[in-house]
Amino acid sequence: MQELASGTVVDAVLRSSRALVAIAARSLAEVTDDVTLPQYRAIVVLCVRGPIAMRELADELACSASTATRLCDRLVAKGLVDRAPREGNRREVEVRATALGVDLVAAVTARRRAELEQIVEAMDPQQRPALVDALSAFAAAAGEAPDQAWAIGWDL
């Protein structure tokens, strides 16, 4: 099999990422117009990781602690996350998704899944296994947890 130049691969991933971002934005907009993509990403991180320290959230979002704090201020006001002093170290703040935040992620994920299913159905069925392999490898290299590694609907 012929090896592709990394630029060719990157170009294909960029095209795909534009499509995926558009799907994510549409899915979020269909559920709520009150949450931005960065805010939504923070809630997703909290759903994946569970309760974490504010500094860990900032690291996950690749932003400063003050930016994460302001983002969480907005999410707390919307009832989508809670924060409290961390048990065992009251100087640290722990952040977690609320039931409302978990429900939001579930609703947006359902809409995204429906749109993605339509796109996959439009693909040649013989190309689907290669797509699964490639996207699974890409997600693993990016450090994303597989869907089965986190479940929406746990008790908060």
Side-chain angles (χ1 to χ4, degrees):
M1 186 156 104
Q2 180 182 0
E3 189 170 317
L4 293 174
S6 66
T8 302
V9 175
V10 169
D11 288 345
V13 172
L14 280 172
R15 274 193 320 277
S16 298
S17 71
R18 284 193 303 267
L20 291 170
V21 167
I23 292 165
R26 279 193 301 271
S27 300
L28 180 60
E30 289 173 9
V31 173
T32 180
D33 60 358
D34 193 36
V35 175
T36 66
L37 277 174
Q39 290 170 349
Y40 179 73
R41 177 66 182 155
I43 301 165
V44 169
V45 167
L46 295 172
C47 287
V48 171
R49 299 266 319 268
I52 58 175
M54 183 70 73
R55 64 177 166 64
E56 293 174 85
L57 178 61
D59 290 345
E60 284 285 330
L61 299 176
C63 67
S64 68
S66 62
T67 297
T69 299
R70 286 190 303 275
L71 185 143
C72 285
D73 287 345
R74 291 178 183 97
L75 293 174
V76 167
K78 295 173 186 182
L80 299 168
V81 303
D82 282 330
R83 65 179 161 207
R86 192 166 223 179
E87 203 172 300
N89 183 354
R90 298 192 58 79
R91 292 185 310 172
E92 263 190 333
V93 174
E94 186 172 80
V95 189
R96 71 173 43 222
T98 63
L100 188 60
V102 171
D103 290 347
L104 173 70
V105 171
V108 172
T109 300
R111 295 213 182 243
R112 285 174 65 193
R113 181 175 293 279
E115 188 168 348
L116 289 168
E117 284 175 355
Q118 290 176 345
I119 293 167
V120 169
E121 286 297 319
M123 290 180 62
D124 179 343
Q126 293 180 342
Q127 293 178 326
R128 294 177 194 161
L131 179 65
V132 170
D133 291 344
L135 291 177
S136 296
F138 182 84
E144 282 294 317
D147 281 347
Q148 57 270 33
W150 61 288
I152 295 173
W154 60 83
D155 293 330
L156 294 174

